[in-house]
Amino acid sequence: MTFSTAIFAVWTGVSRVAGLAREILAAGRAGELATRVSGSADLYGSRPRRPYASINFVTAHDGFTLPDLLSYNQTHNDANGEGNRDGESHNRSWNCGVEGPTDDLAVLTLRARQQRNLLAAPFLSQGVPMLLSGDEVGRSQGGNNNAYCQDNEISWFDWAHRDEELLARLRAGGLTSASAAAASASGSGRVNSSPPMRGTTPSSRTASVIIAAAS
């Protein structure tokens, strides 16, 4: 049995538009960033495929959450019992000057601004944006980027400590998700997250948003 690849969307590392932005610009390759934002015609244009074949995202279940992407240069997976050798090692992360939690106002301000920048990038790009559930409320895994084996505070949603400022800004810009709505409606307490969705493709040619479950 054969399938036409033209009907499937592609979820690939190169589609992490915002995650590539810093290193692309640092290397003086602004044209490459423009190519990614405009739909990656170099990848999909010859098949032929439309821009919605690209699933654009910053974070996914198999890596740092958004706050951790801007808080840790290194993985902190010791709790997984594999000597911190598991998980993705090329995270394109930047701790903004301090590894992990800090009370430095300048660092916190920078991290908050970069979170907003990174969240905006997939939604401003051609293609289908994918938002990792929890990124819109500032969910952290304490630097653990491979928390599939953790059924505890590392991987749970802690609604009581959600980032209200980030959530409010996303609401103001119209970028909210089912997870954000649930967070707003719920009281305090923790809710265990669902397993990751696999093989997800957009069901129509509209600019729908995929909400990816956290691990």
Side-chain angles (χ1 to χ4, degrees):
M1 181 180 295
T2 60
F3 297 89
S4 171
T5 58
I7 66 173
F8 292 100
V10 178
W11 187 83
T12 61
V14 77
S15 295
R16 301 188 187 205
V17 174
L20 286 168
R22 187 168 62 90
E23 62 187 63
I24 287 175
L25 292 176
R29 294 163 21 223
E32 182 179 346
L33 178 59
T35 298
R36 298 291 164 251
V37 169
S38 61
S40 299
D42 58 327
L43 299 178
Y44 310 124
S46 62
R47 300 192 184 181
R49 307 188 76 174
R50 299 296 180 89
Y52 54 74
S54 174
I55 306 299
N56 300 319
F57 62 101
V58 182
T59 57
H61 65 276
D62 60 342
F64 281 141
T65 66
L66 181 62
D68 289 354
L69 192 70
L70 296 164
S71 300
Y72 298 93
N73 285 348
Q74 308 296 329
T75 58
H76 294 263
N77 297 353
D78 300 277
N80 298 349
E82 298 185 39
N84 202 35
R85 296 186 300 271
D86 62 308
E88 174 61 57
S89 59
H90 185 48
N91 294 286
R92 298 191 177 101
S93 60
W94 177 40
N95 64 17
C96 297
V98 177
E99 186 75 359
T102 181
D103 57 3
D104 188 312
L105 182 58
V107 173
L108 293 174
T109 300
L110 176 59
R111 288 176 178 176
R113 184 170 67 247
Q114 295 291 21
Q115 281 190 78
R116 298 193 297 271
N117 290 339
L118 293 177
L119 280 171
F123 289 89
L124 297 175
S125 301
Q126 290 290 312
V128 180
M130 187 185 82
L131 176 66
L132 176 65
S133 181
D135 278 356
E136 75 283 12
V137 292
R139 189 179 75 89
S140 170
Q141 294 182 164
N144 192 322
N145 76 343
N146 194 35
Y148 75 97
C149 57
Q150 301 295 332
D151 186 12
N152 50 44
E153 289 84 355
I154 294 175
S155 63
W156 290 346
F157 278 59
D158 186 354
W159 301 124
H161 296 92
R162 59 186 179 266
D163 188 334
E164 295 286 3
E165 181 181 357
L166 177 61
L167 181 57
R169 285 178 177 270
L170 292 177
R171 280 179 174 153
L175 305 182
T176 55
S177 72
S179 176
S184 302
S186 68
S188 61
R190 297 185 176 93
V191 179
N192 199 1
S193 57
S194 304
M197 298 189 299
R198 300 185 184 278
T200 306
T201 57
S203 58
S204 70
R205 296 187 177 185
T206 61
S208 58
V209 178
I210 295 176
I211 307 300
S215 59

